Amino acid sequence: LLDILAARKEPRVLYENVWVHEVPHPDNFQCNSGYVVQDDVVMSTLTVRENMWFSASLRLPTTMSKKRKNKRIKKVIEKLGLCEVADSK
């Protein structure tokens, strides 16, 4: 299910349409969501913040400014309760 929602697998094998929050799955849903599969490993040489930056650089639009990306990363770190370890490897 997560693979289909994150557009990592084609939903064409399904017999039904994919819906999210009672509306059809938007084409850009994978740009606004993400998950880490269990075998996916973050870079142990980077800090939490640096790993977030790396992920954000791959997922967020290139038109988004560095300042906005940094604000988004800061918000995610706060929401996850990682402020105290954000600059730790």
Side-chain angles (χ1 to χ4, degrees):
L1 174 63
L2 291 175
D3 280 344
I4 291 169
L5 289 175
R8 293 183 183 192
K9 299 234 189 270
E10 288 293 322
R12 64 180 169 220
V13 298
L14 301 175
Y15 296 105
E16 300 290 330
N17 293 326
V18 177
W19 289 61
V20 178
H21 297 292
E22 300 180 5
V23 295
H25 184 268
D27 290 336
N28 69 342
F29 189 77
Q30 68 272 18
C31 296
N32 300 314
S33 66
Y35 76 98
V36 179
V37 293
Q38 288 183 350
D39 62 342
D40 198 9
V41 179
V42 294
M43 298 174 87
S44 62
T45 57
L46 300 179
T47 65
V48 172
R49 189 180 315 277
E50 291 167 335
N51 272 297
M52 293 270 201
W53 177 259
F54 180 74
S55 180
S57 297
L58 295 175
R59 295 175 184 274
L60 296 176
T62 56
T63 56
M64 183 181 280
S65 70
K66 284 186 176 183
K67 186 176 180 178
R68 281 189 61 207
K69 287 180 184 178
N70 278 323
K71 282 184 180 181
R72 172 101 39 112
I73 291 166
K74 183 179 178 187
K75 185 188 267 187
V76 170
I77 288 172
E78 289 171 358
K79 283 187 177 188
L80 294 175
L82 297 173
C83 293
E84 291 182 19
V85 296
D87 296 308
S88 301
K89 291 183 182 179

